[in-house]
Each structure stands twice: as structure tokens, then as C-alpha cells.
Amino acid sequence: MTTFTVPTREQVSENNQVIFDNLQKALGFVPNLYATIGYSKNGLERFLAYQNAKTSLTNKEKEAVNLVVSQVNGCVYCQSAHLVLGKMNGFSDEQLLDIRKGKATDSKLNSLVQLAAEITKTRGYANPNLVNEFFANGYTNENLVDLILQVSDKTAMNYLHNLTQITVDFPLAPAL
């Protein structure tokens, strides 16, 4: 299989160089997976706009979705990144472990995590009972659409890493 390397700032388009500079300023580094998107002249800008668009989900809910989807898709890069981001958004180590296992102690969050995992596993053909539970816990049609969009965002990143196997530049997620 082809070996993928992470492109440097000099190897990407001028537009992506500006984005690399902005990421460097904001995060202190350019995550390898974002840098890899930089192979596409327009992909990084397009993806970041999509990823940073407003949503009805809270940051904590988004992180729970990101983590469980990455677990289902077997993406060690995104599992590693979202363990860090999950802690930054207020989850404990125990809560993050539960989410990776497809559950949460809070019933509302549990319905979100379980539906996100199911959507990922079944490619959108979710068990109606999980959908009903999601709505019974107070989520709305808007939340369902935003959940699907969040699953698609994370699935794209999972697939990019699973195919390229670029180096993980976050503390490595332990295997379950």
C-alpha cells in the first residue's frame, strides 16, 4: 500500500498555508489529520467550514458523538484526539470510557450516544426503538439532522485516517 506522509506547510496551496498558520496560532500545532486534508487545494477550508458550522448540539454532545463514531469506525487517531477534547469539554476518564463502549450514565446523553453508534454501524438504518428513545429524551428533529451531520463529519475524518494511517499526534487512546 502507498505510504502517506503529512504534508508540510510548503507543500500545500497558499490558501492552505494561511489555514495552517491560523491552526498553529489557535492550537499551537497543525494536527496531522488536518494537514493531510491540505493535500486538497480546497478541502481543508471546506471541511473546517463544515466542521465549525453552528449546530443544535452542545460541544459536549458533539464530543460524545465524535468519540463513539470514531470507536465504531476503528479510528485510533480520532479516538485519541477526542479523548483529549472530551476532557477539555468536561468529561471524566470514566465517562469517556463509557462513551467509547456506547453508553452514558445520563439518560439523554445515553440516547444520543447509542443512536450515533447505531447510525454509524447501520449506515443510517437505525433501530426505531433507539430513534424513539432519542426523541423521548427531549431531542428534536433539528437535533436528529445535526446528529447525522456530526456523524458524517467524523466518519469522513475516520475514513481519511483509516486509509492514510498518518501518525497520531495526540496521546494514544488505549485499546478497549
Side-chain angles (χ1 to χ4, degrees):
M1 183 169 121
T2 300
T3 301
F4 287 85
T5 57
V6 178
T8 65
R9 184 185 183 283
E10 294 71 34
Q11 294 173 310
V12 300
S13 69
E14 286 183 29
N15 183 51
N16 283 338
Q17 288 178 6
V18 171
I19 296 170
F20 276 33
D21 293 344
N22 290 337
L23 287 168
Q24 182 69 41
K25 287 177 194 166
L27 304 175
F29 74 113
V30 178
N32 285 343
L33 202 53
Y34 284 162
T36 302
I37 298 173
Y39 278 119
S40 169
K41 182 178 175 183
N42 299 303
L44 186 55
E45 180 178 24
R46 189 174 83 220
F47 183 76
L48 289 173
Y50 181 64
Q51 189 174 59
N52 293 318
K54 290 183 180 181
T55 177
S56 63
L57 300 176
T58 66
N59 286 341
K60 200 168 186 175
E61 289 170 326
K62 284 172 44 177
E63 284 309 315
V65 171
N66 289 339
L67 187 54
V68 75
V69 169
S70 298
Q71 187 68 43
V72 170
N73 284 329
C75 179
V76 69
Y77 187 99
C78 293
Q79 289 170 44
S80 301
H82 292 290
L83 284 174
V84 170
L85 294 168
K87 284 190 96 150
M88 290 173 60
N89 279 281
F91 285 115
S92 69
D93 289 333
E94 184 178 336
Q95 289 170 315
L96 292 168
L97 181 59
D98 281 347
I99 291 167
R100 290 180 71 195
K101 292 178 179 178
K103 61 184 180 177
T105 55
D106 174 82
S107 64
K108 185 173 183 180
L109 187 63
N110 188 58
S111 68
L112 176 76
V113 167
Q114 287 191 348
L115 185 56
E118 177 79 357
I119 289 168
T120 306
K121 290 175 194 170
T122 65
R123 294 183 216 67
Y125 294 99
N127 180 323
N129 293 332
L130 292 176
V131 177
N132 291 338
E133 186 69 20
F134 176 81
F135 287 122
N137 274 286
Y139 286 109
T140 65
N141 288 340
E142 178 184 19
N143 298 137
L144 181 64
V145 171
D146 286 342
L147 169 59
I148 293 164
L149 293 173
Q150 193 66 39
V151 169
S152 72
D153 160 354
K154 194 45 46 196
T155 297
M157 294 297 273
N158 295 164
Y159 287 7
L160 181 62
H161 182 263
N162 290 350
L163 180 66
T164 64
Q165 292 293 303
I166 52 99
T167 303
V168 178
D169 50 354
F170 289 90
L172 200 58
L176 291 184

